[in-house]
Structures are given as structure tokens and as C-alpha cells.
């Protein structure tokens, strides 16, 4: 008899609990799919795998798919990070260190990235390219990583070259250098590339989100 009472009690508690959830959902979180509507982004119609819905008269779209269609990188997690892929040149300044990605070109069949680093800090700094990720958050395409090698070019005649490898040496205070990074391989039709530079000298990071549509 006690067992039956336990089962009935559990059933009633569950029924009351879920009724409350249902009531709350009906009043606050009820989603209405937007039917027979066209989604036009930059003049072109697109279709999301997940539905666009209205909740409390507010429109909700699938964030990852929206990013794929509009040129944003969407990184899920405890902190959702959204970054816009942009055309070169792109400049980022952190802690008195400025990195500019000048151009990305295919020369003699090899992809080369030209960059300038300006050190306005009061100490010598070193900058490293730690990661290259391509086709990030592109619908229907798998992202991939690649590597790079470096070629050193002085910005002017006053810069003394101690190595032939770009970024291998510390950059003096109030100095500026330009160099070329040769990318190991870029797949045909690559839509974007994420270049991630970091400096343990400062320390800080320089994430670049580059729109490469039509370049490869």
C-alpha cells in the first residue's frame, strides 16, 4: 500500500510540475515558427536547416547558420564569441604593438601573406603566428588548419637584419618591420582564414578574421 502511495504521490508531483512548466511556456516561452516566409540576405534567398521562430513577438534565428550566411565566425561555449570576417588590410593594436595584415596574394602558385609589425612599446617584443584556420563556420564546408614559413624583409635601410626568418627575432622598441608569410596550402574556394598571432612578450593576442571570398 505504501508503495502505491509513493507512486501516486510521484505522479501527482510530476503532473503539477509539468503543468507549471506548460503554463509558463504558454505565457512566456511559446515559439511560433514563421511559415511561408522568405529569408533574403544581401539580396539572395537562403534557407536555414532550423526554423526561424517568433517568441513574445521577437524574431529568433539559428545563430550559427545566420553567421554562416552573413560572414561571421560563431564560437559556441560558455562565452559565445562572434567575429566579422573582413577584407584586407586589417590592423589590430594591443599594448602598444600594432600588426597589420597588408595583403594576401597567390604568387607563382604560392599563397603569401604580407604583414607589418610596429612596436611602440618601451621594450623589445616577439610575435608568433600560432594558428591558421580556414573555412571557419562555412555551411557545407569543413574547416581545416595549415602552416606557414617566413621570409624577412626590412622596412627601411636602418633596420639591421640578424636573421633571414621573419618573426624569429625580437623587435626593438619604436621599430617597425614588414615581412611575408608563405602559407603551406590553401584549398580551392576557401571562403575565410583565421590568423591567430600572439606575443608572450606583452603578453597579448591578435586574432584576424579575413574574408577570402574570390581569392582562391
Amino acid at each position: 500500500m505504501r508503495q502505491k502511495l509513493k507512486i501516486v504521490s510521484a505522479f501527482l508531483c510530476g503532473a503539477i510540475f509539468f503543468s507549471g512548466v506548460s503554463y509558463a511556456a504558454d505565457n512566456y516561452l511559446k515559439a511560433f515558427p514563421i511559415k511561408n516566409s522568405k529569408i533574403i540576405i544581401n539580396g539572395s534567398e537562403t534557407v536555414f536547416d532550423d526554423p526561424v521562430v517568433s517568441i513574445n513577438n521577437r524574431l529568433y534565428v539559428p545563430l550559427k547558420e545566420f553567421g554562416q550566411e552573413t560572414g561571421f565566425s560563431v564560437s559556441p561555449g560558455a562565452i559565445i564569441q562572434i567575429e566579422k570576417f573582413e577584407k584586407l588590410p586589417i590592423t589590430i593594436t594591443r599594448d602598444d604593438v600594432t600588426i597589420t595584415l597588408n595583403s594576401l596574394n597567390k604568387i607563382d602558385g604560392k599563397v603569401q601573406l604580407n604583414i607589418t609589425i610596429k612596436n611602440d612599446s618601451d621594450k623589445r617584443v616577439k610575435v608568433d603566428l600560432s594558428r591558421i584556420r580556414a573555412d571557419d563556420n562555412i555551411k557545407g564546408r569543413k574547416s581545416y588548419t595549415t602552416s606557414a614559413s617566413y621570409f624577412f624583409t626590412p622596412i627601411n635601410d636602418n633596420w639591421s637584419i640578424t636573421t633571414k626568418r621573419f618573426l624569429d627575432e625580437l623587435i626593438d622598441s619604436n621599430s617597425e618591420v614588414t615581412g611575408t608569410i608563405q602559407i603551406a596550402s590553401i584549398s580551392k574556394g576557401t571562403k575565410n582564414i583565421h590568423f591567430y598571432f600572439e606575443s608572450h612578450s606583452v603578453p597579448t593576442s591578435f586574432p584576424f578574421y579575413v574574408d577570402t571570398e574570390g581569392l582562391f
Side-chain angles (χ1 to χ4, degrees):
M1 185 66 179
R2 290 181 179 178
Q3 185 67 23
K4 288 184 178 179
L5 285 174
K6 287 181 180 180
I7 294 174
V8 171
S9 298
F11 173 78
L12 289 174
C13 288
I16 293 170
F17 173 76
F18 284 109
S19 295
V21 171
S22 177
Y23 173 79
D26 286 341
N27 286 272
Y28 301 104
L29 298 176
K30 192 167 184 178
F32 298 91
I34 307 300
K35 298 180 179 180
N36 302 320
S37 63
K38 290 185 177 181
I39 302 171
I40 308 295
I41 298 178
N42 293 327
S44 299
E45 184 176 356
T46 187
V47 178
F48 294 146
D49 293 333
D50 295 317
V52 176
V53 299
S54 175
I55 302 176
N56 289 348
N57 294 319
R58 293 182 177 180
L59 194 64
Y60 291 80
V61 299
L63 182 59
K64 187 175 180 65
E65 289 185 83
F66 183 78
Q68 290 172 340
E69 297 291 344
T70 55
F72 285 85
S73 170
V74 180
S75 300
I79 298 177
I80 299 175
Q81 185 171 332
I82 303 174
E83 300 287 347
K84 174 68 174 175
F85 288 103
E86 299 179 294
K87 295 290 187 182
L88 297 181
I90 303 174
T91 298
I92 295 178
T93 300
R94 303 273 173 85
D95 295 332
D96 295 322
V97 176
T98 300
I99 299 180
T100 300
L101 304 192
N102 300 310
S103 60
L104 189 63
N105 301 297
K106 198 169 186 178
I107 302 173
D108 297 329
K110 298 177 181 179
V111 177
Q112 297 184 0
L113 173 68
N114 184 265
I115 72 174
T116 297
I117 302 175
K118 186 178 182 181
N119 178 19
D120 288 322
S121 70
D122 57 1
K123 60 183 178 180
R124 302 174 76 197
V125 299
K126 189 175 187 300
V127 176
D128 296 305
L129 174 61
S130 60
R131 183 169 65 249
I132 308 175
R133 189 174 181 86
D135 275 345
D136 180 41
N137 197 38
I138 296 295
K139 192 173 184 178
R141 297 178 69 95
K142 290 184 177 180
S143 61
Y144 65 94
T145 57
T146 185
S147 58
S149 56
Y150 311 103
F151 297 87
F152 191 93
T153 306
I155 192 65
N156 54 49
D157 294 336
N158 297 324
W159 179 260
S160 58
I161 301 177
T162 57
T163 177
K164 291 184 179 180
R165 287 178 58 82
F166 181 51
L167 301 185
D168 272 1
E169 294 295 312
L170 289 167
I171 302 173
D172 287 335
S173 174
N174 299 312
S175 295
E176 181 177 316
V177 295
T178 292
T180 299
I181 296 175
Q182 183 171 299
I183 311 302
S185 63
I186 297 294
S187 300
K188 185 177 180 181
T190 294
K191 305 294 184 180
N192 63 54
I193 302 178
H194 174 202
F195 295 100
Y196 188 87
F197 293 83
E198 57 186 350
S199 173
H200 298 293
S201 306
V202 180
T204 190
S205 61
F206 301 81
F208 290 88
Y209 295 82
V210 182
D211 178 0
T212 59
E213 183 77 39
L215 290 180
F216 307 106

